[in-house]
Amino acid sequence: MLTTTRFAPSPTGYLHLGHAYAALLAWRQARESGGRFVLRLEDIDPSRCRPEYAEAILEDLAWLGLDWDGPVRVQSEHLDEYRAALDGLAARGLVYPCFCTRAIIRREVAQAAEAHDPDGAPLYPGTCRHLPESARRARTRAGEPYALRLDMARALASVSGPLTCIEAGGRRFCRPERFGDVVLARKQTPSSYHLCVTHDDAVQGITLVTRGMDLQPATDLHRLLQSLMRWPEPAYAHHRLVTNPAGKRLSKRDGAVSLRELRALGYSPAGVRALALPD
Ligand code: GLU
């Protein structure tokens, strides 16, 4: 089977060496196997993403010497597709509206605050899971904002057999139940990262997902969504995170040097490639 890898940045800032490492790794894996390398801009959160960063990302990747296959997929242009996937889950009774604010959830889970979902939020105690249909309808009609949550127990009951994923050449068991009823959509973000990423990996025919170790736990949830939606199963390779000399993961917030700053300092594309991914 032809290997298809992808690089899927969120346009929330300029690319730095951590991104260059991830992009080069995925690109090299595709090219060395005669496969495909595709790009995706994960820009579903309008409060954090900016078009000028999206443009800069493509320019920086081209400057680095990376080429990609097919059109760039821009998530904000496909909201209707994510909505259709959510509607499908709703029709099967696998999602429900949750009207709880963050403050309510925090208050309710104060005792069990150690457990977290893959987005770092406290595990949802299930408050809205059993709301009667009439209450749901009344609150929605009154304009109360809500999130859509996956009913984890029902979702697990509707997939057959144990859930596993292929990672680093082996197969391991997945345990999405530890995340509870995760959010799949919010008012501000009509579809969560988890739904969009699995939807798009399927649409773009990704066979090998290479991404940072920080996203490894989320893979358990992604395998569940793939199984529920009958999307194909890609293999996963979670790579190390590039850190600064103090051992902290590079991030825009902590002032990581961007690729364009390196470029302005006189670095060549080959020089930056060697810094990001030494042979
Ligand atoms: N958009 C995510 C990020 O920039 C990457 C998601 C993924 O590779 O699955 O961190």
Side-chain angles (χ1 to χ4, degrees), residues 131-177:
L131 275 186
E133 197 46 48
S134 54
R136 282 180 182 158
R137 234 174 291 133
R139 293 175 76 167
T140 320
R141 224 179 293 126
E144 209 177 313
Y146 61 89
L148 281 179
R149 287 187 181 272
L150 183 69
D151 187 323
M152 183 58 78
R154 280 194 183 194
L156 285 168
S158 75
V159 299
S160 55
L163 212 53
T164 60
C165 69
I166 305 168
E167 196 175 38
R171 211 171 247 292
R172 70 166 173 86
F173 286 104
C174 294
R175 291 189 310 106
E177 60 273 22

Side-chain angles (χ1 to χ4, degrees), residues 212-235:
M213 284 303 297
D214 54 327
L215 289 169
Q216 187 186 33
T219 299
D220 290 32
L221 172 60
H222 297 178
R223 285 291 301 120
L224 174 60
L225 293 173
Q226 286 156 357
S227 180
L228 287 173
M229 300 303 293
R230 300 207 194 321
W231 288 329
E233 177 188 4

Side-chain angles (χ1 to χ4, degrees), residues 6 8-10 42 193 197 211 215:
R6 44 69 156 188
S10 303
E42 302 206 325
Y193 155 68
V197 83
R211 61 183 176 196
L215 289 169

Side-chain angles (χ1 to χ4, degrees), residues 189-213:
T189 359
S191 175
S192 75
Y193 155 68
H194 306 292
L195 189 78
C196 296
V197 83
T198 44
H199 177 279
D200 288 358
D201 283 339
V203 167
Q204 292 187 289
I206 308 303
T207 62
L208 175 63
V209 173
T210 61
R211 61 183 176 196
M213 284 303 297

